[in-house]
Amino acid sequence: MEIKYDLKTTFDEAIGLSTYSNSQAGVLSYVAIFESLWKQTELYEGIKNAHEQLKLHAKAQKEFINIAAHELRTPIQPILGLSQILLTKTGSIEQYTEFLDTISRNAKRLNRLTDDILDATKIESKSLELKKERFNLNDIIINAMDDIILGKDLVDSRNVQLLYQPQDVILEVDKGRITQVISNLLSNAIKFTNKVTISITTRIDEDNNQIIVSVKDTGSGIDPEILPELFSKFTAKSFSGTGLGLFISKSIVEAHGGKIWAENNADGKGATFTFSLPISEQKP
């Protein structure tokens, strides 16, 4: 004989029995029992959800440790190797110059990784501070583009074309942090293709008194699998990068009162990352 347990049926029967009982204590005991069962069910669901979140967090942390270890190891190897060669005092001045250039470039890469980890820690602890000053956004974009062009580790092996139509817009922002956001978006666009055109555009939204900045590339686009969590910490699906850059960029933009978002281009070639920032009121 098959026996089925139906909580709702049991609940209805119990309430029915208690309704016909002349004992108030009996009725209250049934109420207490089912309130307890209900609370236990809610508690179980809460624990189950928390457990799933912990598993996802643990997986993300493990992946981040693996990625960070790889990112650290990659620039450390040439620094150590070339330093040993320089210590032997053999070779020409041209070779020394080339070795020192490679060491410097990889040291800067290590410094960027360290800064990203420290920034992520500040964001998590809500201690990220902004030093706002009035600047021309045009200068910030041009400086970020210059840094990318001079960053030979990103540009040398790729056919990269940067397009930008200058527009003067005064913002009251942390210049270093907004430069960091634009640099992150440019670097991110370059990473995912060997041949890319990157277009930077700015548009003033007068209705909302804000500037809209877009970075559009012709690369491989955003993997649909990570698109929903693109700006979350540790989100990465590439052979380079820790998955912290977009998370940090989002936090910086939102700290300035703006928003950031991304989408694949309609023609199927590449993606566009866009962020908004409030425009400073013009002072007399």
Side-chain angles (χ1 to χ4, degrees), residues 72-243:
L72 286 167
R73 190 181 299 113
T74 301
I76 285 175
Q77 289 176 342
I79 290 175
L80 292 176
L82 294 177
S83 297
Q84 290 299 319
I85 294 175
L86 288 174
L87 288 173
T88 63
K89 300 180 181 179
T90 59
S92 64
I93 187 65
E94 291 79 10
Q95 289 177 314
Y96 287 171
T97 300
E98 182 180 349
F99 292 164
L100 288 171
D101 181 64
T102 302
I103 290 172
S104 175
R105 191 166 66 247
N106 281 280
K108 290 177 181 178
R109 182 174 176 179
L110 277 176
N111 188 60
R112 288 196 300 269
L113 175 59
T114 304
D115 287 343
D116 281 351
I117 294 174
L118 290 174
D119 283 343
T121 303
K122 291 178 182 178
I123 291 167
E124 289 291 307
S125 62
K126 302 186 185 302
S127 60
L128 182 69
E129 296 182 356
L130 300 178
K131 299 177 181 178
K132 292 185 178 182
E133 299 178 68
R134 290 173 63 84
F135 285 103
N136 190 333
L137 177 63
N138 182 61
D139 296 337
I140 296 177
I141 293 176
I142 290 175
N143 289 338
M145 291 173 64
D146 288 342
D147 290 342
I148 289 294
I149 293 171
L150 293 174
K152 295 181 181 180
D153 55 326
L154 283 175
V155 177
D156 268 2
S157 61
R158 295 171 170 85
N159 185 1
V160 178
Q161 183 180 24
L162 298 178
L163 304 177
Y164 170 58
Q165 183 65 43
Q167 180 180 19
D168 292 322
V169 181
I170 303 300
L171 302 176
E172 187 169 345
V173 298
D174 186 316
K175 184 179 181 181
R177 291 298 184 183
I178 298 303
T179 301
Q180 185 178 355
V181 171
I182 297 172
S183 296
N184 279 340
L185 297 184
L186 291 174
S187 299
N188 194 65
I190 293 171
K191 283 179 185 177
F192 295 98
T193 184
N194 291 323
K195 185 177 181 180
V196 63
T197 298
I198 302 174
S199 303
I200 306 173
T201 59
T202 57
R203 175 176 61 85
I204 296 176
D205 179 1
E206 295 182 354
D207 293 338
N208 297 300
N209 194 38
Q210 61 183 3
I211 185 73
I212 309 295
V213 182
S214 295
V215 177
K216 180 180 180 180
D217 66 70
T218 56
S220 57
I222 305 167
D223 191 317
E225 185 178 333
I226 67 171
L227 185 56
E229 304 296 329
L230 190 61
F231 293 96
S232 300
K233 188 170 61 172
F234 307 142
T235 299
K237 196 169 185 179
S238 68
F239 296 106
S240 63
T242 58

